[in-house]
Amino acid sequence: MHNAVDLTPPAANPGHTYMMIFYHDEIAVKNGNGRPKLPSVLDVINWSIEVADAQYVGSLNGAGCYGMILRSPVKLAGGCFEKLAQLPGRIGSQALELAFRAFHIINWAKSADFCGRCGERMLVASASRAFARQCAACGCTIYPRISPAVIVAVVKEDKILLARPNRFPPLHHSVLSGFINPGETLENCVRRELREEVGIVVDQIRYFGSQPWPFPDVLMIAFTARYVSGEIAVNQSEILSAGWFSADNLPAIPAYGGIARQLIDWFANKD
Ligand SMILES: [Zn+2]
């Protein structure tokens, strides 16, 4: 079941239409007292950006929102490019959802031009099936791919399990995460990841929250869990080291905003 997203754009109003301009993994924003803001079409015209192939992705406070990819960088008077991954917690949740949705869909669409079943060209499906593409020849319909992954804060008495994944900067620790296998429940994925990556057993797996992470198409599903047994034995193919840390002795952790940091903050602030 796919919920309908209203894909009928509001009436054109350049001063009241948001444009999400992406360049690699960055988005063009206006500077607003330290809090970035999405630019309007008028801002984008002032920046001398030619609007082409913009994708309508929804509306924000009655204003249409469009996304597009910029081929080469430009200077932005009164604005700048910011890493999209650093926006959580710094812009409104609805604006963030639209920016993540636009980035996700635009990048997915690059690999959705041709039918995977018969090789013919895919067309945009009806508006009632949001963002879907359909093959004109064989009728195969596809939707933007979403890859679910679990992320989990394991607590052992007054300590939290943090690890250094080998894809992170040196000395940077976070909670563990991993992709879900086909046929696997979220809870079994949490148990398997912890068993495989650090050799421990947990119980009391509780849902915490979720966050889309469109780099390129992840949905992070967060849990808390209680340590039961096992000594930490690191799987070196995934992580460099792991250990138990108390709230008053945390190592370098992810910046505020993302779900990993929210889990660590939950641990640090709980009784
Ligand atoms: Zn086909």
Side-chain angles (χ1 to χ4, degrees), residues 23 70-75 81:
Y23 181 66
L70 202 60
R71 305 290 164 202
S72 50
V74 292
K75 274 230 175 288
F81 282 96

Side-chain angles (χ1 to χ4, degrees), residues 115-120 122 135-140:
C115 178
R117 188 189 284 164
C118 78
E120 286 299 316
M122 301 294 275
C135 175
C138 78
C140 178

